[in-house]
Amino acid sequence: MAGGGISERIFAGASVMFGRFRGGLGQVNIAASAIFGGISGSSIADVVSLGKIEIKAMTDHGYPKAYGAAMTMVTSTLSSVIPPSILMIIAASASGVSVGAALAGGFGPSVVFIAVLMVLNYIISVRKKYGEISRLSLKESVKTVVIGIPALGGPIVILLGLFGGVFTPTEAAAVAVVYSVVVAMFVYRDMKPRQIPAMLVETGVTTGTILFIAMVAAAASYIFTIDGLPALVSAGLTSLTTDPVVMMLIIGLILLIVGAIMDITAAILLTIPILMPTALATGIDPVHFVVFLVAALSIGLVTPPVGVSLFATSFVAKLPMETIVRAALPHYAVLAGAIVLLAVFPDLVLLPAEWLTGYQPVGR
């Protein structure tokens, strides 16, 4: 998608929808990340593929560069929760819950994240008069949308096939690759065959890294189990409260801290065997727990000291990390508020899982 011109068309298509309003390019940034996440499932891919386009467009239209970089960084969290999120698949597999139900449940945090980020962007843009309002003519708008249909249609093809039972999450990954290659090489013609070997090498390195982390985390999980750590943690937390909402808020605080100091894949694989028994013991639905865990840990991707999306955005924007973090402080606050909403209202996660996969939540 990054090498084949798909990212640029996604951004252009989103611009037609939102570019005509105050703060429009900020909303375009959010919408483009949501659409991109519906194909890639990767926050890092979002920053690397869309980052330069988004930051340059926002800077050229009257936004401070730091604000454009902050928006690009925080919107990358959408790729980690919106189906078909790679992290959601890893977490569901590690916890033994339905992958389809967890992916469907990811629509809940996706909508909440999008809503709070769009409201915040509008408020900031109006108060500080960020951005120019740009309106395309009807002819230009139609032309841009028509050109962007193959790129914008990617999430529709993948998600309908996934939740319609046409293919599994693993097969959906293959469909995403084939779809992107066909569009990039034969529709837009921006990707050349000579680029494929480098892409395969990069894919191998990324996949090998994830599998190595999974291997080490599996060994650590086994040690934790033998040592009785999950039981100790469960006893300690349940001694504080047995109320599921309060327990989720406590777990959410733990996950926000863990996500800020650990690689997110390792954090998922290490925290599930420790915290999930506690969640189940207090009556928390396993799908709600898994989706909530991924949503909370995804914020760690954009926070110091080890947020990989923060590092990637700093590299793409050519700005110091502390500059981006200062600009992103309001966004951190609203994302934390979104986590509270997901803890207090489990139906935000469970209803999409019920509607799309027929999942039956615990206690219903």
Side-chain angles (χ1 to χ4, degrees):
M1 289 177 69
I6 296 176
S7 305
E8 289 91 333
R9 272 72 176 199
I10 288 175
F11 186 83
S15 297
V16 172
M17 293 183 280
F18 297 103
R20 60 185 65 243
F21 307 107
R22 172 66 68 184
L25 277 180
Q27 314 297 33
V28 169
N29 197 322
I30 298 167
S33 290
I35 296 167
F36 188 92
I39 303 177
S40 73
S42 168
S43 293
I44 300 301
D46 180 19
V47 172
V48 173
S49 299
L50 288 170
K52 288 183 180 178
I53 305 166
E54 292 171 335
I55 294 169
K56 183 178 187 303
M58 292 183 74
T59 304
D60 289 348
H61 289 82
Y63 295 83
K65 188 174 184 180
Y67 182 77
M71 283 293 298
T72 298
M73 177 184 70
V74 296
T75 57
S76 72
T77 57
L78 294 172
S79 294
S80 292
V81 292
I82 200 166
S85 160
I86 295 169
L87 295 175
M88 200 73 76
I89 294 170
I90 292 172
S93 301
S95 61
V97 306
S98 164
V99 173
L103 286 174
F107 279 115
S110 302
V111 171
V112 175
F113 280 16
I114 289 169
V116 297
L117 289 174
M118 281 191 165
V119 170
L120 177 66
N121 172 68
Y122 178 77
I123 292 170
I124 291 176
S125 298
V126 169
R127 285 184 177 177
K128 300 190 176 183
K129 294 185 170 46
Y130 284 169
E132 304 165 356
I133 298 175
S134 57
R135 293 184 175 90
L136 296 176
S137 66
L138 179 60
K139 182 179 179 181
E140 291 173 320
S141 297
V142 170
K143 181 180 177 182
T144 301
V145 170
V146 169
I147 292 173
I149 284 174
L152 297 170
I156 298 172
V157 171
I158 292 163
L159 296 178
L160 285 181
L162 189 63
F163 295 116
V166 179
F167 40 70
T168 67
T170 302
E171 291 163 350
V175 171
V177 172
V178 172
Y179 182 91
S180 298
V181 168
V182 169
V183 171
M185 294 188 70
F186 302 109
V187 178
Y188 296 139
R189 300 181 181 180
D190 285 350
M191 192 174 83
K192 308 301 179 187
R194 64 176 179 272
Q195 295 175 261
I196 293 177
M199 292 178 178
L200 292 174
V201 170
E202 186 174 351
T203 301
V205 171
T206 303
T207 306
T209 302
I210 292 172
L211 292 176
F212 183 79
I213 291 170
M215 178 187 72
V216 175
S221 176
Y222 175 77
I223 294 170
F224 292 158
T225 303
I226 296 298
D227 198 40
L229 182 60
L232 291 173
V233 172
S234 180
L237 290 178
T238 52
S239 68
L240 298 175
T241 181
T242 56
D243 183 274
V245 172
V246 176
M247 183 61 72
M248 283 298 269
L249 291 172
I250 294 172
I251 289 174
L253 178 60
I254 294 170
L255 294 173
L256 289 174
I257 295 170
V258 170
I261 61 177
M262 283 187 68
D263 172 83
I264 189 168
T265 305
I268 287 171
L269 296 171
L270 290 175
T271 54
I272 283 176
I274 296 173
L275 295 176
M276 191 166 183
T278 305
L280 299 183
T282 52
I284 295 167
D285 183 89
V287 168
H288 180 212
F289 170 77
V290 167
V291 174
F292 179 82
L293 176 136
V294 173
L297 288 177
S298 70
I299 297 176
L301 289 168
V302 299
T303 57
V306 295
V308 289
S309 287
L310 172 58
F311 282 97
T313 306
S314 176
F315 174 78
V316 168
K318 306 262 189 304
L319 286 174
M321 285 188 292
E322 55 269 27
T323 301
I324 300 173
V325 168
R326 279 196 298 270
L329 289 176
H331 303 86
Y332 293 149
V334 297
L335 288 176
I339 295 301
V340 171
L341 287 176
L342 295 172
V344 175
F345 301 105
D347 278 347
L348 289 171
V349 171
L350 297 177
L351 286 179
E354 282 187 83
W355 293 339
L356 292 171
T357 67
Y359 175 76
Q360 288 299 310
V362 171
R364 292 190 188 174

